[in-house]
C-alpha cells in the first residue's frame, strides 16, 4: 500500500515476493545457512481502514536443499504514508536436504512478521523474521528461525 489515499487501489494488487536471508536451526546439530524464498499473495479478501488480509503461498529452500512449501493467510497493516507491518501463517510440507536439519516431521508451519516500505510504483521492500515449527505435533520440535530481506513485486 503506497499511500493511505491510494490504499484501496494498491491493496487490490497481487504480489510476488522474492526473499533472501539466513536460516538459524535451533537444533545444535542443524546446519545454519543461506535461505531463499518465494511468496505469492493473492488480492485481499478482506479490507478495513488500514488492515487487509488474504490467501497466499510460500516456497523456500536453503543451500543444503531443505525445502518448505505451504499455503495460508497473510495480513498487512498500514502504519502511515508508506510504512507497513506484514504477517503470515503458512502451514505446509518440509523436506530436509540433510538429515541433521530434521525439524521433527514433514508438517511444518511457517509464521512470519515483517516491517516494510512501499514505493510510489506499488512495489515494496521489507525485512522479516520467520519461524518454522511443527507446533509440537511431533515429539521432536527444534524449529528454525529465519531473517529475510524481501522485495514485493505488485501486479
Amino acid at each position: 500500500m503506497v499511500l493511505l489515499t491510494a490504499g484501496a487501489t494498491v491493496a487490490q494488487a497481487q504480489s510476488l515476493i522474492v526473499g533472501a536471508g539466513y536460516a538459524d536451526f535451533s537444533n545444535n546439530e542443524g546446519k545454519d545457512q543461506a535461505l531463499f524464498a518465494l511468496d505469492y499473495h493473492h488480492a485481499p479478501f478482506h479490507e478495513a481502514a488500514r488492515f487487509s488480509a488474504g490467501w497466499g503461498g510460500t516456497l523456500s529452500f536453503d543451500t543444503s536443499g531443505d525445502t518448505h512449501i505451504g499455503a495460508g493467510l497473510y495480513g498487512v497493516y498500514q502504519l502511515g504514508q508508506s510504512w507497513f507491518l506484514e504477517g503470515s501463517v503458512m502451514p505446509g510440507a518440509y523436506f530436509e536436504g540433510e538429515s541433521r536439519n530434521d525439524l521433527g516431521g514433514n508438517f511444518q508451519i511457517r509464521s512470519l512478521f515483517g516491517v516494510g516500505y512501499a514505493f510510489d510504483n506499488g512495489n515494496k521492500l521489507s525485512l522479516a523474521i520467520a519461524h518454522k515449527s511443527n507446533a509440537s505435533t511431533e515429539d521432536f520440535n527444534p524449529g528454525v528461525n529465519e531473517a529475510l530481506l524481501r522485495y514485493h513485486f505488485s501486479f
Side-chain angles (χ1 to χ4, degrees), residues 76-128:
V76 176
Y77 183 81
Q78 189 68 35
L79 293 173
Q81 289 287 351
S82 297
W83 292 95
F84 65 92
L85 299 175
E86 64 174 324
S88 65
V89 176
M90 303 224 181
Y94 172 80
F95 306 96
E96 70 223 25
E98 277 191 34
S99 60
R100 64 182 175 168
N101 292 345
D102 179 18
L103 293 180
N106 292 109
F107 174 74
Q108 298 293 319
I109 301 169
R110 189 214 62 188
S111 52
L112 178 140
F113 177 77
V115 62
Y117 182 84
F119 301 105
D120 289 339
N121 65 1
N123 294 341
K124 304 171 188 172
L125 183 68
S126 67
L127 183 61

Side-chain angles (χ1 to χ4, degrees), residues 1 4 6 9 13 16 38 40 52 58 64 76 80 90 95 103 111 113-114 121 124 128 136-137 148 151:
M1 292 174 229
L4 285 177
T9 304
L16 185 62
L38 182 64
Y40 167 74
S52 61
T58 186
S64 288
V76 176
M90 303 224 181
F95 306 96
L103 293 180
S111 52
F113 177 77
N121 65 1
K124 304 171 188 172
S136 296
T137 58
L148 294 158
Y151 192 83

